[in-house]
Amino acid sequence: MCIIISRGSGVNLPSKKVLKSCFNSNPDGAGIMYNQNGLVNIEKGFMGFKSFWKFHQNMKFDSSTAIIYHFRIATAGGINPENTHPFPISNEDHILKSLSVKGEKIAICHNGIIPIKTPEH
């Protein structure tokens, strides 16, 4: 099962040790969503801990930033950066597969498979 960590504002960030343990336990990719000016930003597609940690360190998240981390174990859709979470709420493939999404009102990450049938294109 995937690991999801929700870190609200005013709460300490998870340590590097905790995040690395999560990544090593769920090695099929990771992503982060965080609030900025009342909107959600998504960065995902981290297929190795080193790139994930570098991004995390460069962001210099402070205690006011709410963050959700997702560490994936693939259940469907294959192992690739585009299938990592979080996802913006959209029905457009190119947006769902984007590795960097800025200024969304809402986004999700989940465990397991959501059986959604989409119309054939």
Side-chain angles (χ1 to χ4, degrees):
M1 188 175 271
C2 297
I3 297 172
I4 300 170
I5 298 174
S6 175
R7 185 272 197 164
S9 62
V11 177
N12 290 335
L13 289 169
S15 69
K16 181 179 182 179
K17 181 179 178 181
V18 166
L19 294 174
K20 189 170 188 176
S21 177
C22 292
F23 197 99
N24 290 339
S25 296
N26 291 46
D28 296 335
I32 300 173
M33 66 176 150
Y34 59 95
N35 74 313
Q36 190 172 49
N37 300 322
L39 296 173
V40 177
N41 294 325
I42 298 169
E43 296 295 331
K44 65 180 191 170
F46 300 104
M47 303 309 287
F49 183 76
K50 186 175 180 178
S51 62
F52 170 85
W53 184 247
K54 182 177 180 180
F55 169 79
H56 192 271
Q57 289 298 99
N58 288 341
M59 285 302 298
K60 300 182 185 342
F61 291 120
D62 65 28
S63 63
S64 69
T65 306
I67 306 168
I68 296 178
Y69 303 86
H70 186 276
F71 301 91
R72 184 171 188 249
I73 288 183
T75 54
I79 298 170
N80 56 58
E82 294 81 13
N83 282 338
T84 58
H85 302 211
F87 291 102
I89 304 299
S90 177
N91 61 358
E92 297 189 37
D93 286 346
H94 73 279
I95 294 172
L96 292 170
K97 293 179 180 179
S98 294
L99 303 182
S100 181
V101 180
K102 306 285 186 206
E104 292 293 312
K105 291 183 180 181
I106 189 170
I108 66 165
C109 52
H110 63 87
N111 282 316
I113 300 169
I114 298 177
I116 298 171
K117 295 188 183 211
T118 58
E120 297 293 321
H121 293 277

